[in-house]
Amino acid sequence: MRLVIARCSVDYTGRLNAHLPLATRLLVHKGDGSLLVHSDGGSYKPLNWMSPPCTLTVEEPDAESASAGVAEHWRVTHAKTGDALLVRIYEVLHDSTHELGIDPGLQKDGVEADLQRLLAEQVDVIGDDLQLVRREYPTAIGPVDLLLRNPEGGTIAVEVKRRGDIDGVEQLTRYLELLGRDPHLAPVTGVFAAQEIKPQARVLATDRGIRCVTLDYEGMKGIESGVPRLF
């Protein structure tokens, strides 16, 4: 992972256009190729980013940019959509590279782990006649919560969250891109399942062809336990 603190401006072009004016920011270039642009505020969310598969190319600035003080251009292009992120670097304040190794993955809290287990036992919540292939299906970038077999062909990757936000949709998108390359699994569709799904996450998921399912945790527990429920 490469961490660069630089004075920069950022322009995103593609399905939407966005501009970040000149300021000091943190640029995170990950081993999977993704680039994230962070400020000192906004909690954990990047101001802008490009998800893999993408490539980063360092270019010499043109005459106009050079005269404005730009030292180099970072051009990040998505391999499938053609969306592009252009970072104009004016000054580098810090540049370091770190080998993080293999991450063991997120350890889910009790509710999220229970949701995953209950959903594995009740896959009809996702759709009729589906078959569970495996929980925590392993991939090179982490385990998929549930992998289901579709009787009509192909498979369904399910990401389970307690509260579903944009990061969860991004995570599932990366899984879908990877799993879709396996001819034994393709075509692979995605389901984002959570007790609560934020509106922005639902919009992004729908835009990417991912179906959202809201889970009734208490209802699923009632089915599992066999205890009669009045309401």
Side-chain angles (χ1 to χ4, degrees), residues 108-122 135 146 160-163 193-196 214-218 220-221:
K108 300 179 183 297
D109 65 27
V111 173
E112 197 166 301
D114 283 345
L115 276 171
Q116 184 191 120
R117 176 178 55 82
L118 290 168
L119 192 55
E121 296 169 354
Q122 303 169 42
R135 288 177 59 189
L146 301 177
V160 182
K161 299 291 184 185
R162 189 156 55 102
R163 292 185 177 87
Q195 283 182 278
E196 174 190 350
T214 303
L215 301 176
D216 178 3
Y217 180 48
E218 296 301 324
M220 293 170 70
K221 284 198 301 182

Side-chain angles (χ1 to χ4, degrees), residues 121-225:
E121 296 169 354
Q122 303 169 42
V123 295
D124 57 299
V125 172
I126 302 299
D128 297 332
D129 301 324
L130 300 177
Q131 295 181 335
L132 176 68
V133 176
R134 179 171 172 175
R135 288 177 59 189
E136 300 288 340
Y137 186 87
T139 76
I141 58 175
V144 178
D145 289 338
L146 301 177
L147 190 68
L148 309 179
R149 179 70 64 184
N150 189 336
E152 299 178 358
T155 50
I156 301 172
V158 183
E159 181 65 25
V160 182
K161 299 291 184 185
R162 189 156 55 102
R163 292 185 177 87
D165 57 19
I166 285 179
D167 283 353
V169 178
E170 293 287 356
Q171 182 181 1
L172 179 54
T173 300
R174 293 192 292 270
Y175 290 146
L176 292 174
E177 290 175 346
L178 187 63
L179 293 172
R181 303 172 195 168
D182 188 336
H184 299 291
L185 301 177
V188 184
T189 57
V191 171
F192 191 50
Q195 283 182 278
E196 174 190 350
I197 300 176
K198 295 183 178 180
Q200 299 93 330
R202 190 179 293 275
V203 170
L204 181 61
T206 301
D207 180 67
R208 295 183 176 180
I210 296 171
R211 184 160 63 94
C212 293
V213 174
T214 303
L215 301 176
D216 178 3
Y217 180 48
E218 296 301 324
M220 293 170 70
K221 284 198 301 182
I223 293 172
E224 182 217 22
S225 65

Side-chain angles (χ1 to χ4, degrees), residues 14-15 24 39 56 80 105-106 112 141 145 169 178 183 187 190 193 215 230:
R15 287 171 292 182
T24 301
S39 67
L56 186 153
K80 293 184 177 180
L106 179 67
E112 197 166 301
I141 58 175
D145 289 338
V169 178
L178 187 63
L215 301 176
L230 296 177

